Amino acid sequence: MDKELLHKKIKKDIEDLINNHPPERTLGNLIPLSIFQAVRIGVLTAGCGIEAIIYNIGKDIGREVISRYVDRDNLLESFAEILKKAKIGILEVKKVEENEMILILKDCISCHNVPNVGTTLCHFEAGLIAGTLEKKLRRKVNAVETKCCGKGDEYCEFLVKIEDKLYW
Ligand SMILES: [Zn+2]
């Protein structure tokens, strides 16, 4: 599978959203969120390290696509802006320190309004945060979801650990 082609497609869709261009698909790009969420939850029940795979997909897209729209000097504000335009969720900042952040995501595509299934669901979004921030900060970043609608919370919360400088 050619990831680069998929990334190009995501980039085009995001730019269409930014520029208010109509989607190419006759029926539009909107689907009921619950259908997408059912697929996400269904995939997670397969086990076998699926969480890590989904996290890495998010991390790739964060690094290769989303980070293009994020301004290093206005990091969290511009990141929040693009997550909102891409309709992924509403990002809020709870804590920012040199080596650690706590970020909140409301209206998250993966878990908004899901029933309490007893587990966090937003590994894609955690990866997206890690990949985007890693690329912009040039430091190793790990994000773990600590609150999620999937376990009965009102919104997602991510603990973001920012580690050593990466030299690329
Ligand atoms: Zn969540």
Side-chain angles (χ1 to χ4, degrees), residues 108 111 121-122 145 147-149 156:
C108 168
C111 75
L121 297 169
C122 308
E145 191 182 28
K147 286 186 185 174
C148 182
C149 303
C156 314

Side-chain angles (χ1 to χ4, degrees), residues 7 58-72 75 79 127-142 162 164-168:
H7 290 166
K59 197 165 178 183
D60 254 7
I61 293 174
R63 196 171 40 219
E64 303 303 326
V65 184
I66 299 294
S67 67
R68 293 166 184 262
Y69 305 97
V70 175
D71 175 9
R72 209 175 169 217
L75 187 69
F79 188 28
L128 208 63
I129 290 169
T132 303
L133 296 182
E134 195 165 287
K135 178 88 179 219
K136 298 318 275 192
L137 296 171
R138 296 186 176 188
R139 292 173 63 188
K140 190 163 172 39
V141 176
N142 271 304
I162 305 158
D164 302 339
K165 272 238 176 302
L166 290 171
Y167 294 96
W168 313 319

Side-chain angles (χ1 to χ4, degrees), residues 54-150:
I54 295 178
Y55 180 87
N56 282 324
I57 294 170
K59 197 165 178 183
D60 254 7
I61 293 174
R63 196 171 40 219
E64 303 303 326
V65 184
I66 299 294
S67 67
R68 293 166 184 262
Y69 305 97
V70 175
D71 175 9
R72 209 175 169 217
D73 297 326
N74 190 21
L75 187 69
L76 293 172
E77 290 84 352
S78 58
F79 188 28
E81 196 60 32
I82 192 62
L83 289 180
K84 190 174 168 193
K85 285 198 171 132
K87 304 189 190 296
I88 290 168
I90 298 169
L91 187 77
E92 293 177 10
V93 179
K94 185 168 173 183
K95 180 176 122 180
V96 181
E97 284 174 7
E98 176 62 19
N99 299 312
E100 191 176 293
M101 292 180 190
I102 297 176
L103 301 177
I104 286 170
L105 194 65
K106 293 180 176 169
D107 262 26
C108 168
I109 41 168
S110 294
C111 75
H112 178 70
N113 262 346
V114 297
N116 185 343
V117 290
T119 183
T120 58
L121 297 169
C122 308
H123 311 90
F124 173 81
E125 291 73 12
L128 208 63
I129 290 169
T132 303
L133 296 182
E134 195 165 287
K135 178 88 179 219
K136 298 318 275 192
L137 296 171
R138 296 186 176 188
R139 292 173 63 188
K140 190 163 172 39
V141 176
N142 271 304
V144 175
E145 191 182 28
T146 52
K147 286 186 185 174
C148 182
C149 303

Side-chain angles (χ1 to χ4, degrees), residues 2-18:
D2 189 340
K3 271 200 292 192
E4 232 173 87
L5 277 178
L6 289 172
H7 290 166
K8 270 189 195 154
K9 178 69 180 110
I10 296 169
K11 186 169 168 279
K12 186 185 176 304
D13 281 354
I14 288 176
E15 284 174 5
D16 283 349
L17 280 167
I18 291 172

